[in-house]
Amino acid sequence: MPDILVVGSLNTDLVVQAPHFPLPGETISGGDLQVIPGGKGANQAVAAARLGANVSMLGRVGKDNFGDFLLDNLKSNSVDSQLVQRDDASTGTATIIVDANGQNSIVLSAGANGKVSTTDVEHASPLHHKLLLLQLEIPTLTVLRAAQLAKENGVTVILNPAPAKEIPDELIALADFIVPNETELSLLTGMDVNDLPSTEKAARVLLERGAKHVIVTLGSKGALLVDKKTSTQVDTFKVDVVDTTAAGDAFIGGFATKLLESDSKLSDALQMAVQYGCACGALATTKFGAQPSLPTKEEVEKIIK
């Protein structure tokens, strides 16, 4: 039985590099179109698998060429895809523009991801794993049901609330770890998040809503780990940024994998897992594309040493 189950999205990313994001009504010239496997769920599954974790993916793709493409990619990355269904809807896509600074702008078309249901989770009865990874590119009710079943079976839940949207307090309370970036944290709490004090203040609002631990990814500033007693900033690693796509997914895959491996007491294990996640996220920004940028275990160990 795989140690990590990812319930989430699988997308085909249609990526173009451009000098800047187009203004309303503006047409600009970009580079060649690239077709790359993505989706926050699949990204996190592949991220953990490349680091040596045993991973299973639950989701939906279409009965089209993009669906074949994504399933073949999971197989090539040693991710168990038995719980990925084929749907009459088209495979989910993400249209991504990457600017000259490596920042990205994304438009999602959910497709089959929007059909992932509570019944899918219940019929699969898959929740005999150690960790469950969740995001918000599939229906919120499905995410909630997966978290409920996980807690009933003693499975640790990691929730990445992305793309940011309103979610019920019950889902926040079911998460052992909730991992937003600064923008997502601001949208979740309705608070300005622009420095470390405001980040910690907003994170504590999520704790008040039931979260056990909040880990805020801060890009080049690393991450902030907040629980009811403490707040710890963990620095990241300096790299030359090419493309930030999937950096957050790389962080979560790394954090989850290292958390599984650790036999230290919880506070030490969390800090080591966050540092490992920061290394994974930093390395992901040094390459173009979502899953092509996700680092291997050897690459992460090298940058840490």
Side-chain angles (χ1 to χ4, degrees), residues 264-275:
S264 304
K265 67 178 183 178
L266 184 60
S267 59
D268 292 338
L270 287 183
Q271 194 157 335
M272 286 189 293
V274 170
Q275 183 189 47

Side-chain angles (χ1 to χ4, degrees), residues 15-219:
V15 188
V16 176
Q17 290 179 299
H20 60 85
F21 300 130
L23 298 171
E26 181 185 16
T27 299
I28 62 174
S29 295
D32 292 337
L33 176 70
Q34 299 193 49
V35 181
I36 299 173
K40 289 188 179 297
N43 289 348
Q44 292 174 21
V46 170
R50 285 194 185 163
L51 299 168
N54 194 354
V55 185
S56 181
M57 178 85 211
L58 186 154
R60 291 195 182 210
V61 295
K63 298 174 183 176
D64 51 27
N65 291 338
F66 283 162
D68 296 336
F69 171 63
L70 295 180
L71 288 173
D72 289 345
N73 180 70
L74 290 180
K75 183 178 180 180
S76 68
N77 282 283
S78 301
V79 176
D80 180 5
S81 62
Q82 294 181 72
L83 298 175
V84 179
Q85 298 185 53
R86 305 300 294 262
D87 195 278
D88 290 332
S90 60
T91 297
T93 59
T95 303
I96 304 175
I97 300 172
V98 181
D99 74 4
N101 297 314
Q103 299 301 309
N104 60 57
S105 179
I106 303 174
V107 179
L108 292 174
S109 175
N113 293 313
K115 302 291 187 69
V116 182
S117 69
T118 57
T119 304
D120 292 349
V121 177
E122 291 165 351
H123 283 182
S125 300
L127 299 173
H128 303 291
H129 305 72
K130 295 177 181 177
L131 285 179
L132 172 67
L133 304 189
L134 298 169
Q135 320 78 32
L136 301 178
E137 286 184 343
I138 61 173
T140 303
L141 285 178
T142 305
V143 176
L144 177 61
R145 186 62 182 137
Q148 291 169 338
L149 291 169
K151 298 313 291 185
E152 291 171 9
N153 288 275
V155 177
T156 299
V157 176
I158 299 175
L159 172 64
N160 173 216
K165 63 175 78 171
E166 287 293 324
I167 55 176
D169 285 351
E170 181 184 1
L171 179 54
I172 292 173
L174 287 167
D176 295 283
F177 303 95
I178 184 166
V179 190
N181 63 24
E182 294 161 286
T183 301
E184 292 152 0
L185 179 62
S186 179
L187 289 168
L188 278 173
T189 60
M191 300 171 65
D192 289 333
V193 175
N194 46 39
D195 55 20
L196 281 178
S198 62
T199 301
E200 179 180 350
K201 186 176 180 180
R204 294 201 176 280
V205 170
L206 293 184
L207 295 175
E208 291 168 5
R209 292 174 64 183
K212 282 78 173 175
H213 302 85
V214 180
I215 302 168
V216 188
T217 55
L218 305 171

